[in-house]
Every structure is written in structure tokens, then in C-alpha cells.
Amino acid sequence: MVAEPGGPDDEKPQSDEAHSAFSRPAGTEPAAPPEEDHPTSEFALPEGVTPEPPAPGPGAATGSASGSETTGSAFAPPSTYSFRDSPPAFTPAYGVPMVRLTKEAPWQDRMRTMLRMPVAERPAPEPVQRHDEAGPAVPRVLDLTLRIGELLLAGGEGAEDVEAAMFAVMRSYGLDRCEPTVTFTLLSISHQPSLVDDPVTASRTVRRRGTDYTRLAAVFRLIDDITTADDEVSLEEAYRRLAEIRRNRHPYPGWVLTLAAGGLAGAASVLVGGGPLVFVVAALGAMLGDRLAWLCAGRGLPEFYQFAIAAMPPAAMGVALTLTHWSDVRPSAVITGGLFALLPGRALVAGVQDGLTGYYITASARLLEVMYFFIAIVTGVLLALYGGLQLGAELDPDARLITHDRPVIQILASMVLTLSFAILLQQARATVLAVTLNGGVAWIVFGAMARTGELSAVAATAAAAGLVGLFGQLFSRYRYTSSLPYITAAIGPLLPGSATYFGLLGVAQNHLSQGLASLSTAVATALAIAIGVNLGSEISRLFMRVPGAVGGANRRAAKRTRGF
């Protein structure tokens, strides 16, 4: 039976299940919440503060006090909140300079100028190589660029030159907003297609290093063809040529390299006062050390132990000559010649150059590598010297080398040393003559300043190295290739072999003050070589036509920070 509406069933009290336990009882008023519990935003206007009225538009009428300033609230939006009310952008009276890259300058200088510009001021890329309508194949271009950068970095190129080469390849294939990054063992590229697209990043690790300047020159020719509009180099053609460069055999076989190592040590011994017998003995010691180092490399022994083992035979030869008491033979010249064949001049120049151009991480890694090699050479020579002292060898650290009585012979010896060094670096035969002449000129300048002019040997070394860097840059611009084949071998006669030997001999005989003084001279000479080479290269660029901003500086660099 259903109850009628308004009947007695409606007057019955409802059960507790008909309402929530948290509901307010009937007849009670809600209490006001405390002030701190108000659910308001911390950016809301407080009570009693009225918002500032919007500023009138340009055509609105102003009050009588049009020039007076009105005091607004701190919570009011600024006048530039809307783009319509924002002031116009500042433009200098002479206008914004437009960056134009001259086509006559080498691609190295053009790309170096681009890298030193802020990203917002770089001009848009002008693709040199063609691609289909869909645009460049970004992953393949990045991979090709990384492979080219790997060959350059493994061949000993500086970090700035590697970045310039990578930047040139990417811009030639039409990729904009790219940032290459080079460290001692890692190459990476970040490419952002547009401001709304995700960036694409690729990296590659350099695990093996080798010295082959013929391969280095071939890579530079490939980059020059890619960046030139007259030559059409597709991605497939670039990959094919890069594979050929990797497969190419070295221009000189192993036995020629061994003979070159002997010729380098023999010429260095003559350079510091040795005779024909010293030449032969130093050459035999260097060739024996070279063969032992090759044997250790074939067994997978690290380079530290290879250098230590290669330094022992020349030192042992010098100690053996001392024990024979031959008056016509200078053991110090034999040991010095062996050191010339081992000192890491190439890595030292590259490390200091990276530091001077602002690549401090790569420079620190290269200099650390040089330090390990130097310690290995020191270890090998000291072991041989300690063994000779135990056998009664009389090694005199005060018997300095006579180097100023045979200028013609020393000039010829410096050229032979440079020629042997160029063969060890696997240089192309077309560059051997130029670098040999460059090394002879460097020794003439050093001899004229240090021997004839009686100037500081360190200052003379820096001046001669600066001339080497200057001529090397000029040769490289004429050939459109890297400057390393014209520089590295030419600094061979300037390496501090004698100072290193006498420093090690002083340490071996417990004459620490004399030994450390000679080693300090060797370090100062090595730094003078590296800084001189870099300074000569920079001076050569000052007189070249380098692209830059119209009406501004031709080449940008980091500003001085004044120490803070």
C-alpha cells in the first residue's frame, strides 16, 4: 500500500543514514575561518588596494598634467606587458652591421670567423652542395661530419681547426644552427632544425690515433671540394672518397721509417757536436729503439712503455762508448741524438695551441699526454744511466756540447733532421722539400741569434719557431691544406734534446740543483717552440684577407677579463 503525499509517513524523522556525519546540524551558523586559512593566491591584490587603470592609448586625451608621473601600485602589470605598449627596439645610428663572408678567403678562415661569432649574428647558410626537395639528410650529414672530424683529430689537428672543418661540412650541405664540440677523445654535434623542433645530437669517440700527414692532406682536399661551389660532391661521393682515404696505404714502408729514425738521431748528434762515428752509433741506437717499440706495439703494450723501451738503446750506446774511453767520441751527443727522435714535439705544439685558442679541456689532455711521454723517456734514460754509473762509467755533466764551430755542417744536419722527421710523419712527397727548407731557415735564425748574437737560447728558439709558423701558414694557404705538414717537422732542430739529457744526467748523479735547472730550461724551450709557432700563425692571419663584419673587426676573439 502506497502512502499518499502529505500523509503521516512524511512526518516521521529520517534515520542517520539519510545525511552525512559531517553535515552541519540544523539551527547552527557556520563559524568564520581564520584569516590565514583563506584560500587566496599570494599574487592576489590585498584588500583595500585598487588596480591601476590601464594607460591610455596613443590617441587618448591626456590630463592637464600630461608631463607628470603617476604613482602606480607595485602589483600593477608593467607598461610593457603587452607588445603593443612595448618601446621600439634600439637600432644604432649607423645601423646593424651585416656579416658577409668573402668567397676569396680560405674556408678555414671563413669558418673560424663564424665560430667566433655569437649564434644570433651568424649569417644564414648558403648550401654549396645540392640535395633533394625534402631537404638535406640530417643523420647522414652529421655522420659524415663526425667521420671527417675523427680523422682530423686523430691526425693531430688542433681543436679549433677540427671544429672549423666540421662547421664547413655542415653548412655546405645546408644545415643551420649547428654547434660542433671537440674534446681530446670525443666529437659531438648538436643540430636544431627550428625553434620549435627537438635538437638532433650525434657523437663519436676517437679511440685510435695515428700520424699520417698524407691522409690528413687528403681529408683537407675533400673538405675544400665540399665547400667549393665549382665541385659537386654528393653525400655518396663524399662517403666513397672518405673510405678511400681510410684504406690508402702509408707512403713509406716500415723499414724506411726505421732508417728515418736513425737518420734523425744521427743528424741530431752531429747538430750538437758529434762526428761521423757518433752519427753511426746514434743512428744504430735509434733504429734499435724503434724496432723494439714496434715489437711492443704489436703485442699491445701501452705507449708509455713503448717510449721507455725506445729511449733505453741510445742511452745504453752512450754509456758503452763511455766505458771504452774513446777520446774522439762524445757519448753525450749519442744520447742527445736518441732523445731528439723521441721528444713529442707534435703533441706539445697541438696542446699549447689548443690552450692559446681557448680549448682548455683538450689542451689539458694533450699536455697531460706529453707529460706521460716525457716521464717515459726520463724513465728509460735514467735506467740506462744508473746502470752505467754502477759499471763505473764517467759521465760528466759539465762537458757541454760544442755547437758553434761548424755552421755549414750544422745547417746541413738540421735539414737532414727535418727530412727524416717528415718521413716519420708520413708526409706527402710534394711537401718534403718545402718543410726541409723551412727547418733549415729555422736553424739559421736560431744560430744567428743564439750563437752569433749571443742572445738567450729560449728567445732565439721562440723567434725561430715563430718564423716556422709564419712560413707554414703561408705554405698551407698556397696549397689549400693543413699547416701541420709544413710546421711539425721544421721544429725538429729546435727541440731541447741536450738540455733534457744534461738534466737527466744531473738527476742520475744526485746533482738535483743542476739537473732541475737543465730540465727547467728544456721545459721553457719547449713552451717557447709551441708559443712561437702559434704566434707566427696568428701574425700570418693578420695580413691575410679574412672575412668579418662590414665596418667592424675582421676577426673576433674573446675579450680580456681583467682577472675577474
Side-chain angles (χ1 to χ4, degrees):
M1 179 176 180
V2 180
E4 296 180 1
D9 291 340
D10 294 339
E11 297 177 359
K12 294 181 181 180
Q14 298 180 357
S15 64
D16 293 339
E17 297 178 356
H19 60 84
S20 172
F22 298 96
S23 60
R24 178 173 54 86
T28 60
E29 296 293 335
E35 184 178 356
E36 60 269 11
D37 290 343
H38 281 286
T40 58
S41 172
E42 58 182 4
F43 298 101
L45 294 178
E47 295 182 0
V49 178
T50 57
E52 184 181 4
T62 57
S64 58
S66 59
S68 62
E69 297 181 358
T70 58
T71 303
S73 171
F75 300 94
S79 59
T80 59
Y81 186 79
S82 174
F83 71 94
R84 295 184 179 89
D85 301 329
S86 61
F90 173 74
T91 302
Y94 51 84
V96 178
M98 182 180 63
V99 178
R100 291 183 301 187
L101 299 178
T102 60
K103 302 299 183 181
E104 295 81 6
W107 63 265
Q108 296 98 318
D109 292 332
R110 287 188 281 119
M111 294 303 109
R112 187 179 288 108
T113 303
M114 295 281 294
L115 288 173
R116 295 186 179 186
M117 288 181 184
V119 179
E121 298 181 9
R122 293 176 182 172
E126 299 176 3
V128 176
Q129 303 301 329
R130 300 177 181 177
H131 49 75
D132 53 12
E133 297 179 356
V138 175
R140 298 197 67 192
V141 173
L142 296 184
D143 180 71
L144 175 67
T145 305
L146 288 174
R147 291 176 183 272
I148 291 177
E150 178 190 8
L151 286 180
L152 295 178
L153 188 61
E157 275 289 347
E160 186 179 28
D161 294 328
V162 176
E163 283 195 1
M166 297 170 63
F167 203 71
V169 174
M170 290 184 294
R171 291 183 66 87
S172 298
Y173 284 106
L175 296 188
D176 194 10
R177 290 181 293 272
C178 293
E179 287 296 332
T181 303
V182 176
T183 59
F184 186 57
T185 58
L186 182 64
L187 301 167
S188 62
I189 305 175
S190 179
H191 166 64
Q192 189 173 9
S194 65
L195 297 178
V196 297
D197 294 331
D198 295 332
V200 180
T201 303
S203 62
R204 194 173 185 88
T205 303
V206 180
R207 303 190 182 276
R208 294 189 60 186
R209 300 180 181 273
T211 304
D212 189 344
Y213 282 177
T214 302
R215 178 181 297 175
L216 193 68
V219 175
F220 265 79
R221 285 194 297 270
L222 174 60
I223 300 173
D224 187 67
D225 292 341
I226 292 176
T227 57
T228 303
D230 298 335
D231 300 326
E232 183 177 353
V233 182
S234 62
L235 285 175
E236 289 74 14
E237 177 68 17
Y239 269 107
R240 186 189 63 80
R241 292 180 57 178
L242 197 62
E244 290 180 355
I245 292 173
R246 286 181 175 273
R247 289 194 301 264
N248 280 348
R249 300 181 60 183
H250 299 303
Y252 308 104
W255 63 272
V256 175
L257 299 181
T258 301
L259 290 178
L264 193 155
S269 65
V270 174
L271 199 64
V272 295
L277 183 58
V278 172
F279 179 93
V280 174
V281 175
L284 290 177
M287 287 190 291
L288 180 58
D290 182 74
R291 286 292 91 190
L292 290 176
W294 274 94
L295 180 62
C296 296
R299 298 299 179 90
L301 205 63
E303 285 185 308
F304 179 88
Y305 303 103
Q306 296 178 28
F307 271 81
I309 292 174
M312 294 178 67
M317 289 282 190
V319 171
L321 289 177
T322 304
L323 293 175
T324 58
H325 301 286
W326 285 3
S327 58
D328 297 336
V329 178
R330 294 181 179 177
S332 57
V334 175
I335 301 176
T336 300
L339 290 176
F340 266 88
L342 295 175
L343 291 177
R346 174 181 58 87
L348 175 66
V349 171
V352 175
Q353 182 179 0
D354 287 341
L356 295 176
T357 52
Y359 295 85
Y360 300 113
I361 296 178
T362 308
S364 301
R366 289 186 189 270
L367 294 178
L368 185 62
E369 182 187 36
V370 171
M371 185 188 71
Y372 273 108
F373 290 163
F374 190 76
I375 292 175
I377 297 171
V378 168
T379 303
V381 174
L382 283 181
L383 288 176
L385 293 181
Y386 276 126
L389 293 177
Q390 296 300 322
L391 294 175
E394 297 179 359
L395 299 172
D396 188 7
D398 295 328
R400 296 297 175 180
L401 303 173
I402 301 175
T403 58
H404 60 277
D405 54 348
R406 302 176 301 175
V408 177
I409 295 178
Q410 290 169 3
I411 293 174
L412 294 177
S414 66
M415 297 178 69
V416 173
L417 190 153
T418 306
L419 175 63
S420 303
F421 205 173
I423 294 176
L424 285 175
L425 294 174
Q426 297 283 1
Q427 290 191 199
R429 294 177 175 86
T431 63
V432 169
L433 178 60
V435 71
T436 301
L437 295 176
N438 200 8
V441 172
W443 180 257
I444 292 174
V445 173
F446 172 78
M449 296 181 63
R451 308 302 178 189
T452 306
E454 296 182 355
L455 299 177
S456 172
V458 177
T461 301
L467 199 62
V468 168
L470 176 62
F471 287 165
Q473 285 293 331
L474 295 178
F475 280 129
S476 67
R477 292 303 186 267
Y478 177 73
R479 296 278 186 171
Y480 292 96
T481 183
S482 172
S483 62
L484 288 182
Y486 302 97
I487 291 177
T488 306
I491 65 174
L494 306 176
L495 293 175
S498 59
T500 304
Y501 163 68
F502 286 113
L504 297 180
L505 182 58
V507 173
Q509 293 183 343
N510 204 18
H511 300 158
L512 296 181
S513 58
Q514 299 178 5
L516 293 179
S518 296
L519 290 178
S520 300
T521 304
V523 173
T525 304
L527 292 178
I529 293 174
I531 295 175
V533 168
N534 181 264
L535 183 60
S537 302
E538 295 296 331
I539 290 175
S540 67
R541 295 191 183 102
L542 294 178
F543 301 100
M544 293 179 181
R545 185 178 182 183
V546 180
V550 178
N554 285 337
R555 189 163 180 248
R556 299 189 179 188
K559 294 183 179 179
R560 185 166 61 94
T561 57
R562 296 182 178 87
F564 55 82

